[in-house]
Structure formats: C-alpha cells, structure tokens
Amino acid sequence: MLVATGLTKSYGDVQALRGADLDVTSGQIVALLGKNGAGKTTMISIIAGLLKADSGTVMLDGFDAQRDLDRASKLIGIAPQLTGIYGVLTVRENLEFFANLAGVPRSQRVAEAVSVAERLGLTELLDRGAGKLSGGEQRRLHTGCALVHQPKLLMLDEPTVGADVATRAQLIDFVRESAEAGSAVIYTTHYLNEVEALDADIVIIDDGQVLARGTRDELVEQHRMQGVEFAMVEDLPPEVVERLGATTTDASTYRIADDIPVGELVGKLGPLSDQLLSVETIRPDLESVFLAVTGDRLTGAEEGST
Amino acid sequence: MDAARALIGVQLRIIRRDPWFLVIMFGMPLVVMPLFVKTMKLSLQAEGFADATGAEQVVPGQVVLFGFMVSGSVAFSVFREHGWNTWDRLRASAASPAALLAGFGVPWVLIHVFYQVVLMVVGGMFVGLRLRGSVIAEFLVIVAYSVCLIALVLLFTATFRTINQVQAVVNLGAMLFGGLGGALVPLEQLPGWARAVAPITPSYWAMEGHRAVFLEPGGLADVAKPVGILFGAALVLAAVAVKKFRVDETKEFFA
C-alpha cells in the first residue's frame, strides 16, 4: 500500500528526517513510536502531501504520491495532531463537508456520515453543533472526518492526546476495526500501552531516523534489557562505578545490568548511598526496548513536534 | 474544482451561522447616509447637477467605503481556518492554491454584491437615490467592484502572515482609497494632487461607474471603461495572489 523510502526533511538547521523508510500493507497497523520532535509528524505530513520532502520517495499503491497529490489525497485520510473541526457546524455537516472535499458523490455523503458517526459513537450527536461537544467527542469527530471517504491509508497523529479514558478505548477499537476492514493505518503516539493494545507493528523513530521495527515480541526479544538505573546527586568516583559493574548513561546516572534489589544497591554504595536520588528497575518490556534502541526513555519527552 | 465547490458551500454556511459582522456592516452606512445627504445635495448642485438629491453621492460613496471593509472578511475566513486547525485538513484534499482561493473568494464576492445591492435599494427607499441610467450597467459596476476588492484582499491574504496585518491594511485602504476615490466627497472637492492619483484606486472607478448611472442616464457603454478597468485589475490581482499564495505557510490568527 505505502512504501516511503529515504525521506529527508530539514527546517533550517534542524534536520527532522534523515533518510527514514516506512512501509505499510493493507490491513496493517503501524505504530510510529517516538518522543516529541523525533520526526513522526514530519513523516506523516510528507506522506499526506502536506510537506515536501527534501529527498526520498513516497509510493502509494504503486504510484508516486508526491507527484500525483490529487490521486493520493483520495486514498489517504489524515487526522492531524491538533483537533480541526468546524465548531459552528453540526457533527453531520462536518462529516459531510470533509466527504465532499474528498470527492465523495452527493448521493453517498449522507450515508457515509451516518456510518462513521455510528462507528465512533456519535450517532446521537449528529445534529449537535460540533462546538458544543465535549473534548473527547470532538476528538472522535476529528478522527471521523479523516475517514469519511473510506481511505485506503489512514494516518492518525497522536489521536488520543488530551482524550479521556473512554475516548481512548473507543479510538483504539475503531483503529483496529478500520484495519480489519482493510485499511492500512499509521498511528503515531508516545503511549506504549496504546501500541500494545493495538497489537501494531512498531516502528521506533528517533532523531529523524527509523531505528527499529517489529512486533512487540520481536522487539523485546531483539532489544531486551533489564537491570537497574539509578541517579546520584554527584558523579560517582570511577572506582565505585567499576566495582558496581555499572555504565554511565547520563550525568550522574548509571545502569547496572543485573536486576538487583534497591537494598542491595544501597549496601553496595555504602556511605555514598546518601547521595542516591532515584532508582528505577528496567524490565524486558517495550519501555526497555525503547531505552535500548534510543538510549532514552519515552517519558519526559519535550514539547513540540516535528 | 471539487474542493472549491465544497469550500464555497461550507463558507456560505459558516457565514450564515454567524452573520453579526455583516449585520453591523449593513447598519453603519445606513446610519451615516442621512447625515450627509443635504451637504452632498448642495455640493452636487454646485457641480451642475441641478436636480440632484445628494443621495447620488452619499449612497454609492458609503457603499464603496464600507464595501472595502466588508471585503476584508475574505482574509478573516482564510486566517480563521488556521485558528480552527482546519487548514491542514483542507490542504490534505490536495486542492490547488487557485481552488482554495476560489473557495474562499467566491462566497465573499456573492455576499459583497448582495451587500451593495441591498444598500442601494435601501438608499432608494429612504434617502432618495434615483437610478437615471441602466440598471444592468449599475449591476455590472457593483459586480466589478466586488470582484476587484475580493481579489485585492486575497492578495493581502497571500502576502501577510498575521490577521492583524491584513486588518490594518484593509482599514487603511478603506479610508485612503475611499477618500482618494471620491467616496467621501465628490472628486471635484479634492485637491489637485489627490485627483491626479485617484485613478489608481478601485474606489475611483467604482464611483465613476455609479455617477454615470445615478447622476446621468448612463448605459452599458458609459460604464464600460470603469467596469473593464475593475475587472482587469481583478484579474491581475487574483493572478498575483495565486502566484504568491503559499499554502504551507502558517498564518497567525488571533492568539
């Protein structure tokens, strides 16, 4: 369905994508996992034709999507990161407008709007002003507007940001249903539990590069990590680092490959344990995979997206 | 042009849902018109139009002046899409810059024409505006002025990055062009230098057309020049706007 190869993109001095590749087949869900600023949004914006890549190709169903934007737009549905709906229009009018914009014939628009509303739990709200919906309902409508023309490739950019628990669950179910119905789905997120719930193929992206790809189990198998990571007030003397068998990961932060209890670590640090700031256990899960692949944790990502 | 058609429909619907700006813009000239009729009657009679009522200057003048301000709404509509985060969704439809500008411009041309027609009719009913020439010629002047102004504001939209910049230019343009173009007072009362530069303004050509049918029994031939110039300018302005318009540029709506 989609084969994107060697995508590069710079914003001035900032290189947002450095030769990133991505492919998705029909019925497949690919989760783009990365911190804010990793290049996720840039990548899907290029695929959707919203941004021009500096280099690289985007082949969609066998044709060059960057050269035939009109044809590509009929196959792609994108829900950008920020909720974009018309508050002064009703839910139905929003859905019908975006269907119209995508070239859905008038005779089918009404039915499509009703169908999408039903799938997203918005049937009762069809004639309510979109501006009067709750944040979660707006988020669902925002997503619905991306697929009212039944795209073959659905791209959702952090669809659950700011959504409540019920909306998150609903959106996850909806994405799975879309894939089961044959759509290829690209789902960007930095929520690991969503990636696991989607049972998606995971693409880890960092600093504009795709660093790893596979199912959760494959990635855990390939990049499993466990042990303890701890932070000190000041740097430990080199001989202590050596005695602990630790490696330095960041300023005054160390990692021990063995999964030792906190008490044992305190004992090994001796008097220096007074300077112990925090201890975290690393388990062989997706979080540790991300840590192993990128050298950083997914949580604590800075604001802003590229 | 599917995207343009879809956009025209939705823009008209959005404007219908929130018509208050237009309501105010209808009200303002209606308040101003009666205040100046007597003065303008004397002025037009001094010019040699013995049976002028004054409405022949005041009504078209106010329509031309406030019409400029109304045309600024087309920029507001485009910038508002950025504020509503719907701009990228529109772009994802792969609509060309021309289709997008048409989608925003056409509804405002229609509204702008309607605005002028209604004010002229009301001017006829309440301040004594009489049409001496061809109604078709007058309608052509109205349409040509609307198309020219919307094209001009679309060029502003393509040029400026923030809505505040566009609004400042539109407000300045309304007063400057209105004053120079003879919308506030007849051109004959302006200093020589102002009369010399007046033809660079759309207001001047619109007033020329209006005077031909309200003060004299002008027909299509009498408005051909002003109408032709307004349409010609519109064509050039729209072409430059399409050329300059960068759909991927982030516009700043009110923060």
Side-chain angles (χ1 to χ4, degrees):
Chain A
M1 175 69 217
L2 167 78
V3 181
T5 317
L7 297 179
T8 65
K9 177 73 185 174
S10 296
Y11 303 101
D13 295 338
V14 179
Q15 204 165 358
L17 281 183
R18 304 161 185 263
D21 299 334
L22 184 69
D23 60 89
V24 195
T25 57
S26 297
Q28 187 179 34
I29 303 173
V30 169
L32 276 184
L33 192 62
K35 294 177 295 181
N36 288 332
K40 307 186 297 290
T41 299
T42 298
M43 184 181 257
I44 67 166
S45 296
I46 288 171
I47 294 168
L50 297 175
L51 280 178
K52 217 173 228 175
D54 295 337
S55 63
T57 57
V58 178
M59 300 301 289
L60 198 62
D61 252 4
F63 70 92
D64 188 339
Q66 292 179 104
R67 286 179 187 272
D68 194 348
L69 288 175
D70 193 47
R71 190 171 161 202
S73 74
K74 303 285 186 280
L75 301 181
I76 294 173
I78 181 169
Q81 203 173 109
L82 297 170
T83 302
I85 53 173
Y86 293 97
V88 294
L89 302 182
T90 64
V91 170
R92 188 191 303 276
E93 287 167 340
N94 269 281
L95 291 169
E96 287 183 6
F97 166 64
F98 284 108
N100 190 6
L101 194 66
V104 176
R106 182 190 284 263
S107 57
Q108 293 172 26
R109 272 179 236 148
V110 175
E112 286 298 337
V114 170
S115 164
V116 167
E118 195 178 331
R119 288 168 66 193
L120 284 165
L122 295 168
T123 304
E124 303 296 315
L125 305 170
L126 267 169
D127 295 311
R128 185 176 293 180
K132 291 177 183 162
L133 302 178
S134 69
E137 289 162 348
Q138 287 187 346
R139 204 66 193 162
R140 277 183 274 153
L141 173 59
H142 169 73
T143 305
C145 291
L147 61 118
V148 75
H149 60 297
Q150 297 188 338
K152 282 188 169 181
L153 172 63
L154 177 61
M155 296 195 286
L156 306 175
D157 194 1
E158 308 208 5
T160 58
V161 165
D164 53 58
V165 176
T167 297
R168 278 182 187 221
Q170 218 156 3
L171 284 170
I172 297 283
D173 285 347
F174 166 78
V175 169
R176 294 173 72 154
E177 284 170 19
S178 296
E180 281 164 18
S183 291
V185 182
I186 300 176
Y187 187 103
T188 82
T189 186
H190 49 242
Y191 297 126
L192 295 168
N193 55 346
E194 288 181 7
V195 174
E196 295 194 356
L198 285 167
D199 199 18
D201 218 35
I202 300 160
V203 171
I204 296 178
I205 184 167
D206 192 49
D207 201 20
Q209 289 175 298
V210 171
L211 299 182
R213 175 167 182 167
T215 63
R216 178 202 177 277
D217 291 345
E218 285 168 354
L219 289 175
V220 169
E221 185 57 36
Q222 286 166 24
H223 303 282
R224 59 184 296 133
M225 259 182 86
Q226 63 184 82
V228 172
E229 192 172 88
F230 60 98
M232 306 294 292
V233 176
E234 289 176 5
D235 288 352
L236 286 171
E239 62 274 15
V240 177
V241 176
E242 194 178 337
R243 177 162 49 82
L244 290 170
T247 53
T248 307
T249 62
D250 207 346
S252 309
T253 306
Y254 306 89
R255 192 178 299 152
I256 299 173
D258 297 327
D259 186 7
I260 60 170
V262 176
E264 191 179 329
L265 175 65
V266 168
K268 283 184 172 181
L269 284 168
L272 289 169
S273 62
D274 292 346
Q275 293 183 30
L276 190 61
L277 273 180
S278 64
V279 182
E280 275 190 79
T281 304
I282 304 165
R283 301 190 192 289
D285 55 13
L286 217 41
E287 171 73 41
S288 73
V289 168
F290 193 85
L291 182 62
V293 170
T294 68
D296 209 348
R297 287 179 185 278
L298 195 52
T299 49
E302 72 280 14
E303 288 301 312
S305 59
T306 55
Chain B
M1 282 288 141
D2 283 351
R5 266 200 300 273
L7 255 177
I8 290 167
V10 87
Q11 288 301 315
L12 286 172
R13 188 168 276 173
I14 289 169
I15 294 159
R16 271 208 312 273
R17 295 280 156 84
D18 187 12
W20 285 105
F21 171 74
L22 275 178
V23 171
I24 290 165
M25 292 312 282
F26 270 112
M28 284 164 71
L30 291 177
V31 171
V32 174
M33 281 176 194
L35 303 178
F36 294 99
V37 171
K38 249 184 192 168
T39 312
M40 288 304 129
K41 182 180 180 176
L42 296 172
S43 175
L44 290 173
Q45 285 176 344
E47 256 187 73
F49 299 103
D51 57 347
T53 63
E56 301 87 344
Q57 167 64 34
V58 171
V59 177
Q62 294 302 311
V63 168
V64 164
L65 181 71
F66 283 97
F68 204 106
M69 294 180 184
V70 170
S71 67
S73 299
V74 68
F76 190 84
S77 294
V78 175
F79 278 77
R80 186 169 55 188
E81 298 284 335
H82 289 266
W84 286 347
N85 301 320
T86 43
W87 185 250
D88 275 349
R89 306 203 83 141
L90 300 182
R91 286 181 55 218
S93 70
S96 64
L100 287 172
L101 289 178
F104 286 98
V106 170
W108 280 104
V109 168
L110 298 175
I111 289 166
H112 204 269
V113 168
F114 174 73
Y115 177 78
Q116 293 186 77
V117 169
V118 169
L119 287 180
M120 294 293 188
V121 170
V122 173
M125 290 163 66
F126 296 105
V127 287
L129 181 67
R130 284 171 297 168
L131 189 71
R132 291 183 168 84
S134 157
V135 67
I136 297 171
E138 170 56 17
F139 187 68
L140 276 178
V141 173
I142 284 174
V143 173
Y145 184 58
S146 294
V147 173
C148 184
L149 284 194
I150 298 303
L152 178 63
V153 176
L154 285 176
L155 178 57
F156 293 161
T157 306
T159 305
F160 296 106
R161 205 179 55 78
T162 75
I163 187 66
N164 287 334
Q165 290 168 344
V166 177
Q167 282 188 329
V169 172
V170 167
N171 290 338
L172 185 68
M175 298 313 292
L176 196 65
F177 284 11
L180 286 175
L184 295 176
V185 293
L187 209 64
E188 285 66 21
Q189 293 185 15
L190 297 179
W193 66 265
R195 288 203 299 272
V197 297
I200 63 163
T201 68
S203 318
Y204 169 84
W205 294 106
M207 288 306 292
E208 281 289 293
H210 290 313
R211 284 168 70 96
V213 291
F214 286 120
L215 284 170
E216 295 171 57
L220 289 176
D222 299 296
V223 300
K225 189 178 176 187
V227 167
I229 287 172
L230 286 171
F231 274 131
L235 209 62
V236 173
L237 292 167
V240 179
V242 169
K243 182 95 177 146
K244 272 185 77 80
F245 194 48
R246 283 188 48 221
V247 291
D248 58 342
E249 183 186 49
T250 304
K251 301 282 187 188
E252 204 174 288
F253 195 53
F254 298 112

